[in-house]
Amino acid sequence: MRRFNLLSLMCLVLLFAASSATVRAQKNPPPDEEMQQTVPPQPRPNLMAQLGLTQDQIKQIRQINQAKKPQMRAAQDRLREANRTLDQAIYADVANDVEIQARLKDVQTAHAEVIKIRSLTELAVRKILSPDQLAKFREVREKFAEQKENMQQQQQLNNRRMNAPNRRNNLRNNILKNNLRKPIKNQ
């Protein structure tokens, strides 16, 4: 469930970013040199084009984003502050369990508010999409989730490969240290 929400959120963010970029690009197309400098090394799908959103849909999505942006910013600020005060309570000179539990509750409340705002925003955007666009969005989101999972697996594999020599070296060093500590037996 949590994975689904995170994936939905990521796709929603991509949708919002693409809508803003599409509208800006339609108003002021950049010169060729600027276009080459601003293109990311790995092409990202143009979600707006893939979904076939109308100008009215794009306008509605932008309005939703602008309306929710102050609420989201305030909720994220509260979450950051709650995390900061929880961290301070945990690492205080004297740990106070009651204080830590209270700060933890604050973090949970702030996090719930962020999730609520994101979910309501996503629902509002979802209502704008036609059934065909929604089906296409689900398909794109599924592909994105697969790509993300593949990237995470590749990263884990790379981390294991990079750490393997370190583990062997650490094991070798520990063996050497242990052998040096043993007294030499005279025969």
Side-chain angles (χ1 to χ4, degrees):
M1 179 89 174
R2 180 177 169 93
R3 180 175 174 199
F4 179 75
N5 288 337
L6 290 174
L7 294 175
S8 297
L9 172 64
M10 292 172 65
C11 289
L12 185 63
V13 169
L14 284 174
L15 178 69
F16 295 148
S19 69
S20 298
T22 302
V23 171
R24 272 189 248 118
Q26 290 172 353
K27 290 181 182 176
N28 300 318
D32 289 339
E33 290 180 4
E34 284 184 29
M35 179 65 96
Q36 290 174 354
Q37 292 174 354
T38 59
V39 173
Q42 296 178 351
R44 292 188 318 190
N46 183 348
L47 196 54
M48 296 295 171
Q50 286 182 349
L51 294 178
L53 296 178
T54 66
Q55 289 300 316
D56 186 49
Q57 287 175 313
I58 293 170
K59 182 180 176 182
Q60 289 176 29
I61 291 170
R62 290 189 80 210
Q63 288 173 342
I64 291 168
N65 285 337
Q66 289 183 353
K68 297 289 185 178
K69 190 175 184 175
Q71 293 173 335
M72 180 57 82
R73 184 170 285 143
Q76 289 172 333
D77 288 346
R78 285 191 295 274
L79 179 57
R80 272 191 294 281
E81 179 63 20
N83 276 313
R84 188 184 64 74
T85 57
L86 173 61
D87 190 56
Q88 287 175 342
I90 290 171
Y91 294 103
D93 290 339
V94 177
N96 180 336
D97 288 346
V98 173
E99 178 70 16
I100 291 170
Q101 289 300 318
R103 298 302 63 111
L104 182 59
K105 180 73 173 160
D106 292 344
V107 169
Q108 291 170 333
T109 302
H111 190 246
E113 183 64 20
V114 168
I115 292 171
K116 179 181 175 184
I117 293 168
R118 284 182 181 153
S119 298
L120 292 176
T121 302
E122 191 169 341
L123 176 62
V125 171
R126 185 247 181 268
K127 289 179 179 179
I128 293 170
L129 301 177
S130 70
D132 290 339
Q133 289 169 329
L134 182 59
K136 182 66 178 175
F137 182 76
R138 288 178 183 144
E139 180 184 316
V140 169
R141 183 173 60 187
E142 188 174 310
K143 286 180 184 176
F144 180 77
E146 288 172 9
Q147 289 174 348
K148 182 179 179 200
E149 186 173 326
N150 290 340
M151 287 174 45
Q152 287 174 340
Q153 289 174 350
Q154 185 63 41
Q155 183 66 39
Q156 289 173 350
L157 182 61
N158 290 342
N159 287 343
R160 278 190 226 123
R161 286 180 183 158
M162 292 180 68
N163 289 333
N166 289 340
R167 281 190 295 239
R168 283 192 300 267
N169 288 339
N170 288 342
L171 180 60
R172 190 177 303 126
N173 289 339
N174 286 338
I175 291 171
L176 288 173
K177 285 179 189 176
N178 288 336
N179 286 337
L180 291 175
R181 290 183 189 148
K182 292 180 184 176
I184 299 175
K185 294 181 182 179
N186 291 333
Q187 293 181 348

